[in-house]
Amino acid sequence: MERKRISMAFGWPDGAPKPWPFLSEHRGDASPETLVYIRVPDVEGVAKEFNVEVVEQPWAREVHLTDSDGNRLGIATPRM
């Protein structure tokens, strides 16, 4: 299966929390089917880019993506 490189840029409103990547050092944290959860200001653009539906949750509006290795990516706009 061909892998596609993904590049996205998001504008961050003044005062909005910025993403803070963290690489865990705990054994087994990067095992197959790992989940990475990212907060963005507007999840609609991500949903459109990947042609997926937005899932309405009480805490956020989310999209869920899975790569060819089974790793999961949750991208969400938190509810205020």
Side-chain angles (χ1 to χ4, degrees), residues 20-24 28-39 55 57 59 62-67 69-76:
W20 184 263
F22 174 78
L23 300 176
S24 175
D29 277 358
S31 59
E33 300 179 9
T34 296
L35 171 66
V36 174
Y37 196 82
I38 301 171
R39 294 179 179 176
V55 177
Q57 302 287 3
W59 55 87
E62 303 176 333
V63 296
H64 304 273
L65 306 172
T66 305
D67 71 12
D69 294 324
N71 299 304
R72 299 171 296 137
L73 182 61
I75 304 173

Side-chain angles (χ1 to χ4, degrees), residues 3-56:
R3 292 186 185 200
K4 179 176 150 182
R5 178 173 220 136
I6 299 168
S7 176
M8 293 182 278
F10 298 98
W12 297 97
D14 288 340
K18 306 294 187 274
W20 184 263
F22 174 78
L23 300 176
S24 175
E25 297 175 1
H26 295 278
R27 184 181 195 99
D29 277 358
S31 59
E33 300 179 9
T34 296
L35 171 66
V36 174
Y37 196 82
I38 301 171
R39 294 179 179 176
V40 297
D42 181 17
V43 75
E44 293 293 332
V46 178
K48 184 177 178 182
E49 176 74 22
F50 291 97
N51 195 30
V52 295
E53 291 187 31
V54 175
V55 177
E56 300 289 339

